């Protein structure tokens, strides 16, 4: 490990470290625009200049210079200061003076570094160049005259997202960053280039000119659009969510989030359920809470426990699930189900968990994807697989259909029977691998497929490594499984339908088999579940309540309330608590703290943030050999839950990215 001196401070750095990293270890701030810790080094902005001895008599770019034994680095000399001032002067030659109308204002790297390292004046009198705005789709707004050609967006698209749709045209002063043929960027992670852009060239189109960063209240939250559990910051103003941005967590989402997490916030104020409804003579009529509770009590009157059931949807917090379970327990019912995709996994947590872990997945050397499409189901899991392929040389096999995953993959076929009889090359690779990973899509986790997957467990589970993984798509699924919502199975419930059915935000299943049941819908949006319900109890959406969520790898995380629900809508657990009084069932908690204490008493691991422990137990499942094609993966990434379907931004993505409608036609239609 080389030792070097930075401004008189001796530091020791790992082999292969750069001079910039050495300076940061010494506590020195080095300005930069093109350099980013998670992207390859470009070395083209030249803002990170430092003096290096021994070396040439001019400052050098520290981001691209390897640290070496005996180097003496100077970061604050007059020569370095003048060099940085000169670089900043060049960067500002063509940059427009439109900070007052720029959405990046207040969190702009160029603003901050111009103040800290710039001259404060310019010696150039030439006219500034102008670049036409580029079309990158309904999510990214471009003002390319502001672009300083740092190429962060280009490198992110190529290296992390794996969708090479952003690049540079022309050379020298005429260079322009654009999407090829100016079509919408199709990556599910495209919005991250907004955070990466150090100037205002790329900003959020849906929130353009809506708010300044300092006007927003920042609330830490957890994304519920998939089961990754990405850490986010919710920016709200005047009681409405304005934007969502990522929060750093190297173990989960690094510093990226999916486009559905970032841009779906406008769906929180569309199609909302803000008052109770009761169906009278076949038609839903508005009602008071007292009338709605009375209707529920009448529906339950005289019904034995086995005639009452509940199904949990994809967006429920643990608090909602436990309160609903306590209510049904008081009604003598054990008919609870959360596996709305028809999955059959059960038993110990390790049998339905993403055991490898999201971060550890990038160290896998062989990956077998079965009946899943990570690019759509969990884009940030797909980015980890891509990193394993690009950096570690991992080999990926796939059974089933899916989009281009953005890395080389060997397709073994679409018949699920292949899992029980893997081709020789794939089985040899899996057997010889040090860190193999099986990723089984939840929607294809039938008894036969699970039996075949568990038969491979001896190859997957080794000392210090567990490669048996279920890829969930529902944010509520792991928490529901932990709290006892794995019941008889959806097929069994359809075969013996209840007389009264509670639906906790359930909009993704066919409800026709329950036509004879009294359906009580507890949810936030007027979607498929509310349309068929007999009684609607309006609930808070995910950003309008504090909640506990457990991601697919078993990580317990807390999300805080950013805003309050509209109208008469209430937090889900408070609805069940109030309903229990009407039904004569006393639940033992009156506030969120008491409810969480009740949860921690029965499930201690849910009482604190962190990983849920799950030791592997071999399973001997007797089932027939799987056969037939895999269930088709989700094609419409932008419409997988009622919030996304209510979002105007997500509808625009469907129209332009998935359906290929021209932007001009969309604008004319509006």
């Amino acid at each position: 490990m080389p030792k070097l001196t930075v401004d008189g401070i001796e530091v020791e750095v790992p082999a292969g470290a750069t001079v910039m990293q050495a300076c940061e270890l010494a506590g020195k701030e080095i300005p930069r625009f093109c350099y980013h810790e998670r992207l390859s080094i470009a070395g083209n902005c030249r803002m990170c200049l430092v003096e290096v001895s021994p070396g040439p008599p001019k400052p050098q770019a520290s981001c691209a210079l390897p640290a070496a034994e005996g180097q003496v680095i100077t970061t604050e000399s007059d020569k370095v200061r003048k060099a940085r001032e000169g670089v900043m002067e060049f960067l500002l030659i063509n940059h427009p003076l439109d900070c007052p109308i720029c959405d990046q204002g207040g969190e702009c790297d160029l603003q901050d570094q111009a103040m800290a390292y710039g001259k404060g004046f310019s010696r150039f009198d030439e006219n500034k160049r102008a670049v036409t705005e580029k079309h990158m789709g309904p999510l990214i707004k471009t003002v390319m005259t502001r672009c300083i050609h740092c190429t962060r967006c280009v490198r992110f698209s190529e290296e992390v997202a794996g969708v090479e749709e952003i690049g540079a045209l022309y050379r020298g002063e005429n260079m322009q960053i654009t999407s090829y043929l100016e079509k919408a960027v199709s990556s599910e992670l495209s919005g991250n280039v907004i955070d990466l852009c150090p100037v205002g060239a790329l900003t959020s189109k849906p929130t353009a000119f809506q708010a300044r960063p300092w006007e927003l209240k920042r609330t830490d939250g957890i994304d519920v659009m998939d089961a990754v559990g990405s850490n986010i910051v919710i920016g709200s103003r005047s009681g409405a969510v304005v934007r969502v941005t990522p929060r750093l967590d190297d173990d989960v989402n690094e510093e990226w989030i999916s486009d559905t997490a970032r841009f779906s916030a406008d769906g929180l104020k569309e199609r909302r359920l803000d008052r109770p409804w009761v169906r009278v003579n076949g038609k839903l009529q508005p009602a008071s809470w007292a009338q709605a509770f009375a209707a529920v009590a009448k529906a339950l009157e005289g019904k034995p426990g086995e005639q009452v059931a509940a199904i949990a949807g994809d967006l429920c917090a643990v608090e909602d699930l436990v309160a609903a379970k306590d209510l049904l327990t008081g009604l003598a019912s054990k008919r609870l189900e959360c596996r709305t995709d028809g999955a059959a996994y059960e038993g110990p947590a390790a049998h339905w968990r993403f055991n490898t872990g999201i971060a550890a997945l990038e160290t896998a050397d062989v990956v077998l994807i079965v009946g899943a499409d990570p690019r759509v189901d969990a884009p940030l899991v797909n980015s980890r697989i891509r990193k394993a392929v690009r950096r570690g040389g991992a080999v990926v096999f796939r059974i089933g259909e899916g989009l281009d995953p953005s890395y080389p993959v060997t397709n073994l076929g679409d018949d699920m029977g292949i899992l029980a009889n893997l081709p020789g090359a794939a089985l040899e690779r899996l057997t010889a691998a040090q860190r193999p990973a099986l990723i089984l899509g939840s929607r294809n986790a039938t008894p036969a497929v699970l039996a075949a997957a568990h038969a491979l467990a001896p190859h997957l589970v080794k000392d210090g490594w567990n490669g048996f993984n279920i890829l969930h798509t529902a944010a509520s699924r792991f928490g529901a499984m932990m709290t006892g919502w794995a019941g008889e199975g959806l097929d069994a419930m359809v075969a013996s339908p209840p007389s009264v059915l509670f639906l906790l935000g359930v909009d993704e299943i066919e409800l026709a088999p329950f036509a004879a049941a009294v359906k009580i819908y507890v949810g936030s949006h007027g979607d498929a579940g509310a349309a068929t319900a007999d009684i609607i109890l309006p609930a808070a959406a995910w950003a309008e309540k504090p909640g506990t969520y457990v991601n697919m790898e078993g990580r317990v995380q807390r999300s805080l309330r950013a805003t309050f629900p509209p109208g008469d809508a209430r937090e889900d657990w408070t609805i069940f608590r109030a309903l229990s009084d009407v039904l004569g069932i006393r639940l033992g908690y009156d506030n969120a703290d008491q409810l969480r204490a009740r949860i921690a008493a029965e499930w201690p691991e849910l009482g604190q943030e962190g990983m849920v422990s799950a030791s592997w137990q071999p399973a001997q499942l007797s089932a027939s050999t799987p056969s037939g094609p895999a269930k088709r993966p989700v094609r419409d990434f932008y419409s997988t839950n009622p919030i996304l379907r209510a979002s105007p931004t997500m509808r625009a993505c469907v129209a332009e990215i998935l359906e290929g409608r021209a932007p001009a036609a969309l604008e004319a239609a509006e």
Side-chain angles (χ1 to χ4, degrees), residues 395-420:
V395 177
V396 182
F397 299 94
R398 179 169 65 185
I399 300 174
E401 294 184 350
L403 299 178
D404 175 10
S406 75
Y407 44 79
V409 60
T410 301
N411 289 298
L412 301 178
D414 192 32
D415 192 332
M416 296 302 290
I418 297 172
L419 181 61

Side-chain angles (χ1 to χ4, degrees), residues 54 80 86 123 127 185 189 209 220 338 404 425 436 453 510 568 573 628:
V80 170
R123 294 171 291 174
N127 292 329
V185 178
L189 300 171
F209 308 124
D220 290 349
C338 67
D404 175 10
E510 179 58 54
D568 290 333
W573 77 265

Side-chain angles (χ1 to χ4, degrees), residues 128-286:
K128 293 179 180 288
R129 77 164 190 164
V131 180
T132 57
E133 293 188 16
K134 310 299 181 184
H135 179 73
M136 291 191 180
L139 303 179
I140 304 170
K141 176 180 172 60
T142 65
V143 185
M144 301 313 293
T145 301
R146 301 171 184 161
C147 180
I148 62 170
H149 305 149
C150 70
T151 69
R152 281 185 178 182
C153 57
V154 177
R155 285 175 284 147
F156 173 84
S157 299
E158 293 179 353
E159 298 167 13
V160 179
V163 178
E164 299 181 358
E165 295 178 341
I166 301 178
L169 298 178
Y170 317 123
R171 300 181 66 184
E173 186 184 20
N174 296 319
M175 181 177 173
Q176 300 179 23
I177 302 294
T178 181
S179 60
Y180 297 119
L181 304 179
E182 294 197 32
K183 289 187 176 181
V185 178
S186 63
S187 168
E188 294 77 15
L189 300 171
S190 65
N192 291 291
V193 300
I194 295 170
D195 299 327
L196 286 171
C197 184
V199 296
L202 304 176
T203 56
S204 172
K205 185 175 285 188
T207 60
F209 308 124
Q210 287 192 17
R212 289 296 195 180
W214 57 83
E215 298 176 320
L216 301 178
K217 183 184 77 171
R218 295 168 57 88
T219 306
D220 290 349
I222 301 299
D223 170 45
V224 298
M225 297 298 113
D226 56 30
V228 172
S230 299
N231 289 232
I232 57 175
V233 176
I234 307 167
S236 59
R237 188 184 67 172
S238 301
V241 176
V242 176
R243 72 173 188 178
V244 173
T245 53
R247 183 158 48 96
L248 179 66
D249 190 327
D250 286 330
D251 294 329
V252 183
N253 57 299
E254 299 180 286
E255 56 189 271
W256 322 123
I257 53 174
S258 67
D259 287 349
T260 51
R262 184 185 297 270
F263 294 109
S264 62
D266 56 354
L268 293 172
K269 52 189 177 185
E270 303 285 339
R271 305 181 187 174
R272 289 305 302 269
L273 299 173
D274 58 1
R275 67 176 69 177
W277 296 78
V278 176
R279 193 175 295 276
V280 179
N281 297 325
K283 186 176 181 180
L284 285 170
Q285 302 286 350

